[in-house]
Amino acid sequence: MLANMKIVIYGAGAIGSAVGGYLWRVGHDVVLIGRPGHVKAIDEHGLRLVTPTGTHIIRLPAVTNPNQVGFSPDDVVFLCVKGQNTEEALRDLSALTKEVAVFCFQNGVRNEEIAAGYFARVYGVMVRAGAVFLTNGEVVSRRDPPGSLVMGCYPQGTDQLAEDVAGKLRSSGYSVLITPYIMPYKYGKLMTNIANAVRAITDTTGEEVDVLSRVVRHEFRDLLIKAGIRWALPGEPAGERSAPTSPPPARADPESQSSTWQSLTRRQGSVETEFLNGEVVRLAEKLGERAPINEGLLRICKEMAANREPPGKYTPNQLRALLGL
């Protein structure tokens, strides 16, 4: 394990702040890169890490720009920005260093592809960790232990660096599985994430939302099968096998405060839906088909974000009508 490794968390939102806080608590060298308001609050009062077992004030370094970090070849970057910010973040990072390894702690399946255009060492990470960031200087971790991760080289394989990074994460409380087949897990997580839009738009849970979520996922599943793309849902192996044909569960990811919900709640002006439901639309276009349900969710989420509208604009029945269901 590299003794001089510094972990630079680029994108100190919910997941980035929580991971950084847990790592710092057990003595690892961490730097957060975040938005000015969040960084200012951390500098003045520390990061308030709220967990199921208590609240911790974490005094860790935080900056607003990667040019304030001072990179060395042994450093690794945990890329935690939303998909719509990936290109800009990588462009800024690559202007400072070409030598660091980049671990994509992000939803979607396109970020690793973009990162590989800038850096030689890219790793995919499938994240299952309930975290909420709504207030500058504070992140809420809803789980204890804090979450589970699946990690591997992109596009496939494993190496010693992945093992070293996994060791640091495990020491801070995370469960980490190393796999040579990371992308099936990322597609499996995308299968759950595309329902984030339903819950963000309606701001509710229940049977009506579960039915809508099932329809959204079935549309994606059918496209994956046609494209011959393998996926693995959480808890499934992702070895050399064909994609499953069983329907994805309606409650694969029952957390209502998803990253999409949080973005709309914070009225940031953008959401990562282009890298979630938009990925379904993109795959359909490659196959010469359409994905009308995911197209509709993408359109509505982008409009709500652009208008800075909070979650709950439509009821489940209104959403069904808008989607033509």
Side-chain angles (χ1 to χ4, degrees), residues 195-218:
N196 289 357
V198 175
R199 294 178 180 179
I201 292 167
T202 63
D203 196 22
T204 188
T205 58
E207 181 60 26
E208 290 178 318
V209 170
D210 290 340
V211 170
L212 276 171
S213 298
R214 188 180 298 114
V215 172
V216 172
R217 290 173 177 143
H218 270 263

Side-chain angles (χ1 to χ4, degrees), residues 29-42:
D29 190 2
V30 177
V31 178
L32 300 182
I33 304 176
R35 296 179 183 271
H38 190 41
V39 169
K40 183 175 184 291
I42 293 172

Side-chain angles (χ1 to χ4, degrees), residues 145-219:
S148 60
L149 310 170
V150 182
M151 179 185 302
C153 300
Y154 174 80
Q156 66 179 34
T158 63
D159 64 12
Q160 187 58 49
L161 181 59
E163 296 287 354
D164 291 345
V165 169
K168 290 180 180 291
L169 288 162
R170 289 174 184 136
S171 72
S172 68
Y174 288 91
S175 168
V176 185
L177 170 67
I178 299 293
T179 176
Y181 308 111
I182 186 57
M183 293 314 294
Y185 283 102
K186 298 285 294 219
Y187 273 101
K189 180 72 186 304
L190 180 58
M191 178 74 76
T192 70
N193 286 145
I194 57 175
N196 289 357
V198 175
R199 294 178 180 179
I201 292 167
T202 63
D203 196 22
T204 188
T205 58
E207 181 60 26
E208 290 178 318
V209 170
D210 290 340
V211 170
L212 276 171
S213 298
R214 188 180 298 114
V215 172
V216 172
R217 290 173 177 143
H218 270 263
E219 185 175 70

Side-chain angles (χ1 to χ4, degrees), residues 210-321:
D210 290 340
V211 170
L212 276 171
S213 298
R214 188 180 298 114
V215 172
V216 172
R217 290 173 177 143
H218 270 263
E219 185 175 70
F220 187 33
R221 180 207 62 178
D222 291 345
L223 291 168
L224 288 175
I225 293 171
K226 289 178 182 178
I229 296 175
R230 295 181 297 117
W231 78 89
L233 294 173
E236 292 184 345
E240 292 291 356
R241 62 183 180 87
S242 59
T245 57
S246 58
R251 293 180 175 270
D253 192 358
E255 296 168 356
S256 59
Q257 292 177 313
S258 68
S259 56
T260 306
W261 183 93
Q262 293 180 53
S263 293
L264 290 179
T265 298
R266 299 186 74 227
R267 306 192 186 199
Q268 293 179 318
S270 67
V271 287
E272 64 178 341
T273 314
E274 177 64 43
F275 282 72
L276 304 179
N277 305 86
E279 205 62 49
V280 183
V281 175
R282 188 169 81 138
L283 177 59
E285 291 173 348
K286 285 183 178 179
L287 295 171
E289 300 191 14
R290 287 189 58 205
I293 299 168
N294 281 276
E295 283 179 17
L297 292 173
L298 174 60
R299 182 186 68 255
I300 294 168
C301 279
K302 289 175 70 174
E303 289 173 353
M304 289 177 66
N307 295 329
R308 287 177 163 76
E309 295 173 316
K313 182 174 183 178
Y314 299 109
T315 67
N317 282 337
Q318 288 173 329
L319 181 58
R320 285 179 64 91

